[in-house]
Amino acid sequence: MSNYETFDDQKQFACRVIADHARSTAFAIADGILPGNEGRNYVLRKIMRRAIYHGREHLGLDKLFFHQVCGFVVEQMKDAYPELAVQKDFIDKMVRLEEERFGNTLTVGLKELKQVIKKIQKREETDLENFGKVISGEILISEYKTANENLREKHGESNKYYEFARSIHYNKTPLDLALIKLEELLPSFQYDEDFNKAKANFFYSLYDLILNEGSDEEKELILSESAEKWGDRINSYYENCNSFFDLIRVYDTHGVPKDLIALISEQNNINKTLLQMIKHKFDEGLAQLQANSEIGKTRQAEKINPIYAALQRRSDVRTEFVGYDATSVNDAKVVALVKDNEQVNELNTGEEGLIIIDKTPFYAESGGQVGDVGTVSSQQLAVSSEENTAHRSPLTARIFDTFSPVKEYVLHKSKVESGSVKVGDVVSGNVDVDKRDATRRNHTATHLAHSALREVLGTHVKQAGSVVSPNYLRFDFTHYQPLSAVEIKEIEDLVNYQILQNSKVNTDLMSIDEAMRTGAMALFGEKYGEKVRVLSVGNGEFSRELCGGTHVNATGDIGSFKITGDEAIASGVRRIRAITGFDSFERFREAELLIANSLNVLKTQRDNLPSAIEKLQEELKRTRKEIDDLKLKIATGAMSNNSAEDEIKEVLRVKVLAKIVEGLDSNGTRQLSDTLLARLKSGVVVIGRYEDEKVGIIVRVSDDLTDKIKAGNVIREIAPIIGGRGGGKPDMAEGGGTDASKLNDAIEASYGVIEKMLG
């Protein structure tokens, strides 16, 4: 009999969850999806953490285990799916990192959960206490009625809820059934603030109605033993909304599983209504919470503007892209114009809008490559009518972006600089060739960089986004640690070697299946048509990828390649920035100029520059320390025993020295406070200091007084005076603010604060 068969239902379920999620995890990471906070990355993180939680909670697996299960998946399925074996080490690395991260997050999350529960308990106690005051007469009924009217007026539809309360009361409808009817009365059931206030409004209306029109028995009922019940009901439907979302945020932010949230909430005696919401409405509440965040949201750029949809329905509005082979056209017909999201027949001088022509050399933004810019123009056009023949001025329109929000037509974002353009005109389109060439260099270099990254870092590297513009390229890729200087050099060397080879860049049009058989790389999540463009460098051994962008004819056209930055942008995702062509040459010139200027200032040789800078830094560090020591000696000397005695005040027989100093940084102020407190032996030291445009305060209390005077409490009282805040331990606390003019007031106020604590 296997161990699995000896487990109870809960443990068997946990085993199935872990096995299923381990398969999903291994395949997802092999496909380049890494745990993160958005989209598919967020989904992966959730399923991984669910599996890890089940292992910890139900199987007692306190140590790292999930990476081993994922490793077992790889071993079992690598023959059928060879990519798993190729990515084995990377899968193990990423699962370990996420498992360790979740362990830390869960610890923080449980601590946060306890804080939230304490807040909920405090909120419930306050609500019940306040409501008890209302129904016991501590708050006058007239004041209560005024508050109730204000509530109804603020949230509207007062008659609806008051009349509903009246019908419930006189029909003797049980309150539980009344709540169901209330939900039917309202258009939809959502956990938003206004909806829950409407429910509270109903209860207030019903309560108000009974107080004014109810029988003596009913009044006695709500004014006596049922007070707590009424308070609980109003709390459940008025305040539970906030409490509910506080608990959901613990799950959404820290990954604390919802069944654990429910269990701990129940153990802490959270009211039953809130517990029912956690158990039965949790997913509903989570969906609404996330609807207000960026997770899973449709990006604005992906939403189809109604005007674009209207254009798409027109059979005559289609654009043929001819920009792979040309950078200009002379016989394009204007098929549509758009201004301020409305179709128009004409754009005049100075007006901005969208020009759509039946064929274009302008590349529309796609696949990370930015849209082309340039001009649209026409010759003098004749305008005939029955009475006369006139002529329109030649058109010149500046194209400053090109995009294609809907398939099969291209929009040219334009400004008419002279003349006018009408639907039906025949125009010429000219791409800015210099910018197109620079963009082509960067796009082909992006493909070379992708291949070089995989060669240097490993085949786990997959593209996670890119931007290709005339001035730079930006490439996002899956990797778990920063690039070292050696790795950056190897990547640059590989790309520049391919550039020096001047290999021909070939583009072939083929079916997606045929492209895959050639070994071309496709991006996960991208949509491809029946025919795709396959870009190959040379014979395709170094780089072969699916790409619809514009590229150089040979790698030598790129000129040179230089990485300018490497940074992390998400968990397991990094970003490099690079430049090519004239931009890289310009950077080399700037670097040489900086080095030459540095050598001139430091009066040293090129090969000695690093050691000269290091020596200068050491001298600067030593000089700064000498200055700080001198400032401290001056400040301490200024507070010699005699002068310090003059400034010491006694507050209820406790020595207090409060002083403002200048010229000391935070470390120097701490050292000064040590010296002064040692001289006092028993007492309190308060020192204020100016630093740039900010001010700081430090409070020190001798050990024998910390049971009466706590430094942290003193700083919390006086820091707001300078427009800041602070905190610390009983014997030492620090704070800061921005209002330097009030520093003296804060120091003087410390005497009163200390006196209040001693009193």
Side-chain angles (χ1 to χ4, degrees):
M1 179 182 292
S2 65
N3 289 337
Y4 176 82
E5 293 172 339
T6 64
F7 289 162
D8 58 25
D9 291 344
Q10 181 63 68
K11 288 185 176 181
Q12 288 187 356
F13 178 74
C15 290
R16 293 195 297 273
V17 168
I18 293 169
D20 180 67
H21 289 6
R23 285 193 295 270
S24 300
T25 298
F27 278 94
I29 293 177
D31 272 336
I33 305 173
L34 301 176
N37 294 327
E38 294 184 1
R40 64 195 187 201
N41 309 86
Y42 181 65
V43 173
L44 175 59
R45 170 164 284 172
K46 285 182 68 176
I47 67 173
M48 290 177 71
R49 292 189 168 187
R50 184 168 184 258
I52 296 166
Y53 167 70
H54 275 281
R56 286 170 172 249
E57 183 68 17
H58 303 302
L59 300 178
L61 301 173
D62 296 329
K63 297 181 180 179
L64 301 183
F65 73 92
F66 193 54
H67 68 99
Q68 295 176 322
V69 184
C70 292
F72 182 76
V73 170
V74 172
E75 289 299 322
Q76 293 296 309
M77 309 190 79
K78 65 182 181 182
D79 293 336
Y81 302 94
E83 64 269 24
L84 289 176
V86 173
Q87 303 289 350
K88 179 181 178 181
D89 292 340
F90 183 62
I91 293 170
D92 182 79
K93 176 76 173 180
M94 294 313 301
V95 175
R96 279 175 180 269
L97 287 173
E98 185 61 23
E99 200 167 3
E100 290 169 354
R101 186 179 292 113
F102 181 52
N104 297 332
T105 301
L106 193 59
T107 301
V108 174
L110 290 175
K111 186 177 180 180
E112 177 67 17
L113 176 61
K114 292 178 182 178
Q115 294 297 321
V116 169
I117 289 175
K118 283 183 181 179
K119 183 169 69 173
I120 292 171
Q121 291 171 332
K122 181 66 176 176
R123 182 185 292 159
E124 291 175 354
E125 290 171 5
T126 303
D127 293 336
L128 292 176
E129 180 183 347
N130 291 340
F131 196 80
K133 289 179 181 179
V134 171
I135 62 178
S136 65
E138 290 185 38
I139 299 177
L140 295 177
I141 293 299
S142 60
E143 293 181 9
Y144 168 76
K145 289 176 68 177
T146 301
N148 185 34
E149 289 299 327
N150 290 338
L151 178 69
R152 287 209 297 264
E153 181 179 349
K154 179 180 179 181
H155 296 290
E157 298 186 316
S158 58
N159 291 336
K160 176 192 292 187
Y161 298 117
Y162 201 83
E163 290 306 316
F164 179 68
R166 182 181 292 276
S167 68
I168 292 297
H169 174 61
Y170 286 109
N171 290 328
K172 306 297 181 185
T173 306
L175 285 179
D176 290 338
L177 182 59
L179 294 176
I180 296 174
K181 289 181 175 295
L182 179 63
E183 291 178 12
E184 295 173 353
L185 175 71
L186 297 169
S188 63
F189 184 71
Q190 301 178 51
Y191 287 111
D192 60 48
E193 187 178 11
D194 289 337
F195 185 89
N196 284 276
K197 285 183 178 177
K199 289 185 176 181
N201 197 353
F202 158 67
F203 278 112
Y204 284 136
S205 298
L206 183 58
Y207 177 78
D208 190 38
L209 182 71
I210 293 173
L211 285 180
N212 287 278
E213 301 181 22
S215 65
D216 292 339
E217 292 80 10
E218 289 171 330
K219 291 179 182 178
E220 183 179 353
L221 179 66
I222 68 169
L223 290 173
S224 59
E225 70 272 13
S226 61
E228 188 171 339
K229 179 189 291 186
W230 275 88
D232 185 60
R233 285 190 180 279
I234 289 186
N235 172 68
S236 297
Y237 286 92
Y238 180 63
E239 291 293 347
N240 270 350
C241 170
N242 297 328
S243 302
F244 184 49
F245 278 116
D246 285 343
L247 291 169
I248 290 178
R249 287 188 184 93
V250 175
Y251 165 82
D252 197 46
T253 303
H254 300 286
V256 178
K258 60 185 178 183
D259 51 352
L260 186 57
I261 290 174
L263 176 63
I264 295 177
S265 298
E266 191 169 8
Q267 290 172 346
N268 284 272
N269 299 316
I270 297 298
N271 73 71
K272 293 181 180 178
T273 304
L274 181 54
L275 284 175
Q276 290 301 312
M277 292 167 73
I278 296 170
K279 291 178 180 178
H280 301 295
K281 296 288 185 180
F282 197 94
D283 292 339
E284 209 173 305
L286 178 64
Q288 184 174 341
L289 182 70
Q290 292 180 345
N292 296 324
S293 73
E294 293 301 316
I295 296 174
K297 251 187 182 179
T298 302
R299 291 179 303 212
Q300 192 68 29
E302 294 174 347
K303 295 181 180 179
I304 300 299
N305 189 314
I307 187 62
Y308 304 156
L311 290 169
Q312 191 179 32
R313 289 192 291 268
R314 288 178 50 180
S315 60
D316 60 327
V317 181
R318 295 291 182 270
T319 305
E320 177 190 0
F321 176 62
V322 297
Y324 288 125
D325 303 313
T327 55
S328 64
V329 293
N330 296 316
D331 56 349
K333 181 181 179 181
V334 178
V335 293
L337 298 169
V338 175
K339 178 186 176 185
D340 298 330
N341 288 326
E342 296 287 341
Q343 292 190 58
V344 296
N345 289 321
E346 184 176 12
L347 290 176
N348 294 303
T349 302
E351 292 184 332
E352 295 186 7
L354 304 174
I355 298 176
I356 307 172
I357 51 183
D358 62 354
K359 58 182 176 182
T360 181
F362 292 86
Y363 183 83
E365 179 182 357
S366 179
Q369 181 175 332
V370 300
D372 278 332
V373 298
T375 59
V376 167
S377 60
S378 69
Q379 300 300 315
Q380 192 176 65
L381 298 172
V383 181
S384 300
S385 66
E386 294 180 359
E387 299 177 357
N388 57 15
T389 299
H391 290 87
R392 288 163 49 203
S393 299
L395 165 72
T396 301
R398 176 68 54 186
I399 308 297
F400 48 92
D401 194 13
T402 309
F403 60 103
S404 179
V406 181
K407 194 175 181 181
E408 294 186 336
Y409 72 92
V410 176
L411 302 180
H412 305 81
K413 196 171 184 179
S414 316
K415 181 175 181 178
V416 178
E417 295 183 337
S418 64
S420 63
V421 58
K422 290 185 176 181
V423 174
D425 286 351
V426 176
V427 297
S428 299
N430 295 279
V431 174
D432 186 321
V433 176
D434 289 340
K435 290 187 176 179
R436 163 70 78 83
D437 287 345
T439 302
R440 292 192 303 134
R441 287 193 290 268
N442 284 333
H443 203 158
T444 306
T446 300
H447 286 255
L448 297 178
H450 188 189
S451 297
L453 284 163
R454 289 172 61 84
E455 185 80 20
V456 174
L457 304 179
T459 55
H460 64 272
V461 169
K462 288 184 173 61
Q463 182 174 341
S466 69
V467 171
V468 179
S469 74
N471 305 112
Y472 70 95
L473 68 90
R474 193 183 78 196
F475 188 75
D476 303 340
F477 59 99
T478 55
H479 191 53
Y480 46 83
Q481 63 187 19
L483 302 182
S484 67
V486 172
E487 288 170 337
I488 290 176
K489 179 180 180 300
E490 289 181 1
I491 294 164
E492 289 178 340
D493 286 349
L494 273 173
V495 174
N496 284 305
Y497 176 79
Q498 293 296 323
I499 291 172
L500 291 173
Q501 291 296 303
N502 198 26
S503 303
K504 185 172 177 57
V505 177
N506 303 298
T507 303
D508 300 302
L509 194 64
M510 60 184 72
S511 69
I512 185 70
D513 291 338
E514 188 180 358
M516 292 297 98
R517 284 194 294 271
T518 68
M521 289 187 62
L523 298 184
F524 184 88
E526 289 288 327
K527 295 180 180 179
Y528 297 103
E530 292 182 4
K531 293 290 184 179
V532 294
R533 294 174 65 84
V534 178
L535 184 84
S536 303
V537 175
N539 58 13
E541 288 184 4
F542 186 74
S543 175
R544 179 181 279 123
E545 297 185 40
L546 274 59
C547 183
T550 59
H551 291 272
V552 297
N553 295 318
T555 57
D557 297 343
I558 298 172
S560 61
F561 172 84
K562 175 64 182 173
I563 294 176
T564 60
D566 166 45
E567 60 182 322
I569 60 169
S571 176
V573 181
R574 300 200 65 79
R575 169 177 292 168
I576 61 168
R577 299 174 189 270
I579 50 179
T580 63
F582 291 109
D583 292 301
S584 60
F585 295 146
E586 183 61 30
R587 187 178 180 90
F588 296 148
R589 279 194 291 263
E590 289 177 359
E592 285 298 312
L593 183 60
L594 285 172
I595 292 172
N597 289 339
S598 300
L599 294 174
N600 186 49
V601 170
L602 295 174
K603 308 298 183 185
T604 188
Q605 300 299 315
R606 187 184 184 94
D607 57 354
N608 195 44
L609 181 59
S611 59
I613 294 174
E614 185 179 358
K615 182 180 179 181
L616 186 64
Q617 287 177 323
E618 290 175 354
E619 290 178 358
L620 181 61
K621 184 178 179 181
R622 185 170 59 254
T623 303
R624 283 177 175 171
K625 187 177 185 307
E626 290 173 355
I627 292 172
D628 290 341
D629 290 343
L630 185 59
K631 286 180 179 179
L632 182 59
K633 288 178 181 179
I634 293 171
T636 305
M639 295 182 183
S640 62
N641 288 334
N642 293 332
S643 61
E645 287 291 336
D646 295 338
E647 294 178 316
I648 295 172
K649 294 184 180 180
E650 284 205 3
V651 178
L652 299 180
R653 295 192 297 276
V654 171
K655 293 179 181 179
V656 179
L657 175 57
K659 180 79 174 177
I660 297 176
V661 298
E662 296 184 11
L664 289 183
D665 61 9
S666 57
N667 288 329
T669 308
R670 290 191 199 103
Q671 293 180 44
L672 180 60
S673 70
D674 289 339
T675 302
L676 296 177
L677 189 62
R679 289 180 180 177
L680 286 182
K681 295 182 181 177
S682 175
V684 181
V685 173
V686 182
I687 301 178
R689 64 181 174 85
Y690 297 98
E691 186 175 9
D692 297 327
E693 297 179 357
K694 297 181 180 180
V695 288
I697 301 175
I698 185 169
V699 178
R700 297 294 303 275
V701 179
S702 59
D703 292 341
D704 61 312
L705 295 173
T706 53
D707 58 334
K708 299 177 183 178
I709 305 168
K710 303 204 182 297
N713 293 340
V714 175
I715 203 71
R716 275 188 282 271
E717 290 282 340
I718 64 176
I721 298 174
I722 57 173
R725 58 184 181 178
K729 299 178 181 179
D731 63 330
M732 185 178 78
E734 293 183 85
T738 56
D739 192 348
S741 66
K742 296 292 181 65
L743 181 58
N744 190 64
D745 295 341
I747 297 301
E748 288 298 321
S750 64
Y751 294 111
V753 172
I754 293 168
E755 183 177 7
K756 184 172 64 174
M757 291 179 177
L758 291 171

